[in-house]
Amino acid sequence: MIVTGLSLETLATLVGLVCVLRAFQLFLDFRRLLASIHHLPGYRTIISASSMLGHLIPPIPLLNLGHDHFWLSKHAPFAERGLDIISIATCWPKATGTLLIADVSVIKDIVWSRGGRFPKPLELYNALAFFGKNIIVSEGSEWKRYRKIVAPAFSERNNRLVWDATTQIMLDLFDTVWAGQQEVVVDHSVDLTLPIALFVIGAAGFGRPISWKEDAVVPLGHQLTFKDAIHTVSQNLVLPLLVPRWVMGLTKRFRRTRLAFDELHRYLTEMIHERQGSQQEHSHDLFSSLLSANDNNDSSKDDVKLSDSELIGNIFIFLVAGHETIAHTLSFAFALLALHPDKQEEMYQHIKRVLPDGRIPTYDDMPSLTYSSAVFNETMRMFPSASVVPKLSTEDTTFTLTDANGTMKTVVVPKGVELELDITGVHYNPKYWEDPFVFKPERFLGDWNRDAFLPFSAGSRGCVGKKFAETEAAAVLTLLISRYTISIKDEPQFAGETYEQRKARVLDARSKITLTPTRLPLVYRRRT
């Protein structure tokens, strides 16, 4: 058979030759890559686990590590190789080198570096820019502009507002939703913690208080509640990047996702218009800072202006980051306390010592409620929201560290190599944490290595909402444990499992936008 003057055999030969030449080129590039990193021990795979294809393909030796590899492996890859920096070399679609780092001194050098030596690779965060550019998907002067706008909202005055809003939301839960119930069964803990966290960021960050009863009703002009819209969007952020909009109408999941994106954009626009037309004073919250930067009538702030899309983008990212991360961490904290009733009792007794009269705690009590904060910190150590923080080396450099035998080693870092700050690897590194797999809140009551605690990242790019999250968590944990005990729900299909099997099942998690619990069935019993 002849096709445009070529036989099929000739065409097949040409295609095969092109494939062979391409494969040979990839092989040469891969060899050069390995030589550039001096054959640093680590993983060699075909596909990058951080690529879109790597997220879709399950873990297969030599092919793909799998996108959950860093969370699941903890510090083991470093321990096996005797060094807290290892390499990942992949060859498709191009030869790419990555250094995985679990050494605190090296991480400090990276996060505190100046001059743009180790920027964030923004292309990995495209899904978070769907509604507009924002503080997470930014670098350099652009990031500084965003930071300058939002930083004043994360003040001591706002922290007090966070505590008060959290207290009101928890008391409303106890006195309204759980009223008259001695025992409350929640099939998945995030069904409780997601609305708590969303209500807090809504009230303390955006002046949008939502009651538990209001959230159950879809407002006029909408098809989803605000909570359902933002939750569905956060669970399906990458879909619009992968699927054309017309395809989003072909399946039930696609249609609901498309609806959620549209609904959330409508909610955010309504929030903006409502606040812009409000006569009420909200001058100290995050929403006011963002809106002020979008005010075209204020020429005195030209250096820190936000466009309309940047306004929407930053509102969205703070709502997502401000509720999903804390919600998942609180769920893990509840589960850990349920699995360790001795620690739960220790926490309860500590609260009673701080609040002997049983009064409702205030923000001024937070410094004394050290066990509540310790439980939150230990939960974040064991279940960090992000397993890795990606960076990029813009120059040839070296890192120096000691190996498992105490010998100084120098690691060569060529320009263009990706760097992954392995948060989970650091948090489970026995060099910094004794018995890292054991739940020990008390480790945060004395002296502890703050450089080896990275749930909020570190350096100049550390999370601006750190104190916001710590305040909210301390209030939630204190109020809940002072009134309720938490236990794992007994289910007949798991009647024969051991404690370790139950622990593994309940604490199972997967990396999505943040580390997400698979299913946490818990029972809350009112204390008598």
Side-chain angles (χ1 to χ4, degrees):
M1 181 177 177
I2 305 298
V3 180
T4 62
L6 292 176
S7 68
L8 283 180
E9 291 81 0
T10 303
L11 185 61
T13 301
L14 289 173
V15 171
L17 182 60
V18 169
C19 291
V20 169
L21 290 173
R22 175 60 177 155
F24 186 64
Q25 182 63 55
L26 287 174
F27 174 74
L28 292 178
D29 291 345
F30 190 67
R31 287 281 300 270
R32 281 192 287 268
L33 169 64
L34 294 178
S36 72
I37 60 173
H38 291 210
H39 295 271
L40 182 69
Y43 296 102
R44 308 292 179 254
T45 63
I46 295 175
I47 300 171
S48 170
S50 62
S51 67
M52 193 63 69
L53 190 58
H55 278 70
L56 298 175
I57 296 177
I60 299 174
L62 300 180
L63 177 65
N64 182 40
L65 292 176
H67 80 283
D68 257 342
H69 174 81
F70 305 126
W71 157 245
L72 296 173
S73 61
K74 309 292 193 290
H75 185 258
F78 304 97
E80 291 168 5
R81 295 162 177 86
L83 191 67
D84 282 336
I85 298 182
I86 62 175
S87 67
I88 303 173
T90 60
C91 62
W92 193 88
K94 65 178 182 176
T96 303
T98 302
L99 299 188
L100 197 59
I101 304 169
D103 182 87
V104 163
S105 62
V106 173
I107 289 176
K108 282 184 68 176
D109 288 344
I110 293 171
V111 299
W112 288 109
S113 67
R114 296 185 179 276
R117 294 175 61 209
F118 304 109
K120 174 188 289 188
L122 298 183
E123 66 275 6
L124 298 180
Y125 294 83
N126 285 338
L128 298 179
F130 181 86
F131 287 97
K133 299 192 73 172
N134 55 70
I135 193 169
I136 290 183
V137 192
S138 61
E139 263 297 330
S141 60
E142 187 175 56
W143 173 80
K144 290 178 182 178
R145 176 167 58 92
Y146 293 145
R147 177 88 177 198
K148 184 176 181 180
I149 290 168
V150 304
F154 294 96
S155 62
E156 190 68 7
R157 174 171 178 169
N158 191 256
N159 294 335
R160 189 174 295 275
L161 175 61
V162 172
W163 185 281
D164 292 344
T166 305
T167 299
Q168 184 56 52
I169 288 160
M170 294 302 293
L171 294 178
D172 190 27
L173 170 69
F174 301 152
D175 299 337
T176 304
V177 184
W178 291 1
Q181 300 182 65
Q182 286 299 116
E183 180 178 287
V184 179
V185 178
V186 178
D187 193 56
H188 191 2
S189 183
V190 296
D191 294 336
L192 171 65
T193 59
L194 278 172
I196 289 174
L198 183 59
F199 296 171
V200 172
I201 185 65
F206 294 89
R208 190 182 190 277
I210 309 171
S211 72
W212 290 89
K213 288 185 176 179
E214 287 174 331
D215 182 64
V217 179
V218 178
L220 188 66
H222 287 275
Q223 299 178 58
L224 297 174
T225 65
F226 182 61
K227 180 191 73 176
D228 288 342
I230 196 168
H231 180 63
T232 302
V233 166
S234 64
Q235 295 299 303
N236 297 279
L237 263 180
V238 299
L239 265 185
L241 299 180
L242 300 174
V243 180
R245 184 170 177 82
W246 65 268
V247 176
M248 295 288 282
L250 298 182
T251 70
K252 183 177 180 180
R253 179 194 172 191
F254 285 1
R255 287 193 295 273
R256 182 173 176 82
T257 300
R258 183 177 64 183
L259 174 63
F261 272 87
D262 292 343
E263 283 281 273
L264 182 57
H265 192 276
R266 190 176 299 117
Y267 273 118
L268 298 183
T269 303
E270 289 172 355
M271 286 171 58
I272 292 169
H273 292 163
E274 183 179 342
R275 175 64 73 89
Q276 287 173 335
S278 173
Q279 300 301 313
Q280 190 174 351
E281 179 64 40
H282 297 278
S283 60
H284 297 282
D285 66 12
L286 174 62
F287 201 13
S288 292
S289 296
L290 294 171
L291 284 176
S292 177
N294 180 246
D295 185 359
N296 292 323
N297 296 319
D298 189 350
S299 59
S300 65
K301 296 185 177 181
D302 286 341
D303 61 327
V304 287
K305 283 290 187 184
L306 287 179
S307 67
D308 290 345
S309 66
E310 287 177 317
L311 175 63
I312 292 280
N314 278 284
I315 293 172
F316 165 72
I317 210 65
F318 277 107
L319 279 170
V320 171
H323 94 282
E324 185 169 285
T325 53
I326 184 70
H328 292 164
T329 304
L330 285 172
S331 286
F332 287 124
F334 295 170
L336 287 167
L337 290 170
L339 288 164
H340 301 84
D342 56 328
K343 304 297 183 186
Q344 186 175 165
E345 179 62 20
E346 193 171 343
M347 179 178 175
Y348 176 61
Q349 294 301 329
H350 177 83
I351 294 170
K352 285 178 64 177
R353 288 194 295 272
V354 176
L355 306 168
D357 55 356
R359 63 180 173 81
I360 296 171
T362 68
Y363 180 64
D364 294 325
D365 295 313
M366 184 177 168
S368 300
L369 293 165
T370 53
Y371 206 92
S372 299
S373 297
V375 166
F376 183 58
N377 283 345
E378 178 69 341
T379 304
M380 288 191 294
R381 182 192 68 80
M382 298 182 74
F383 296 90
S385 295
S387 296
V388 295
V389 174
K391 297 287 185 179
L392 187 69
S393 179
T394 61
E395 60 183 39
D396 294 330
T397 187
T398 58
F399 297 140
T400 303
L401 69 162
T402 57
D403 65 12
N405 298 317
T407 304
M408 294 298 294
K409 296 287 186 180
T410 298
V411 175
V412 175
V413 184
K415 179 180 178 180
V417 160
E418 296 177 8
L419 308 174
E420 297 278 7
L421 314 186
D422 193 330
I423 308 303
T424 309
V426 171
H427 286 186
Y428 283 83
N429 191 336
K431 183 166 63 176
Y432 310 122
W433 304 101
E434 183 181 0
D435 300 325
F437 286 87
V438 179
F439 178 59
K440 289 184 177 181
E442 60 272 16
R443 72 173 87 237
F444 286 95
L445 296 178
D447 293 330
W448 49 279
N449 191 337
R450 283 164 170 74
D451 292 332
F453 185 60
L454 303 168
F456 298 102
S457 190
S460 59
R461 289 296 301 255
C463 177
V464 69
K466 177 176 180 286
K467 186 64 175 180
F468 188 114
E470 292 172 337
T471 302
E472 177 183 346
V476 169
L477 288 165
T478 299
L479 287 161
L480 184 65
I481 297 302
S482 67
R483 299 192 179 204
Y484 290 83
T485 63
I486 311 174
S487 59
I488 305 298
K489 177 185 177 183
D490 290 323
E491 297 174 285
Q493 66 268 38
F494 303 117
E497 67 184 354
T498 66
Y499 172 80
E500 290 300 323
Q501 288 172 332
R502 167 176 281 207
K503 180 180 175 182
R505 170 175 60 86
V506 170
L507 296 179
D508 185 56
R510 292 291 179 268
S511 298
K512 295 183 179 178
I513 296 180
T514 61
L515 189 65
T516 304
T518 302
R519 179 173 173 265
L520 296 178
L522 300 177
V523 179
Y524 304 84
R525 291 185 178 87
R526 188 182 294 271
R527 296 183 185 272
T528 56

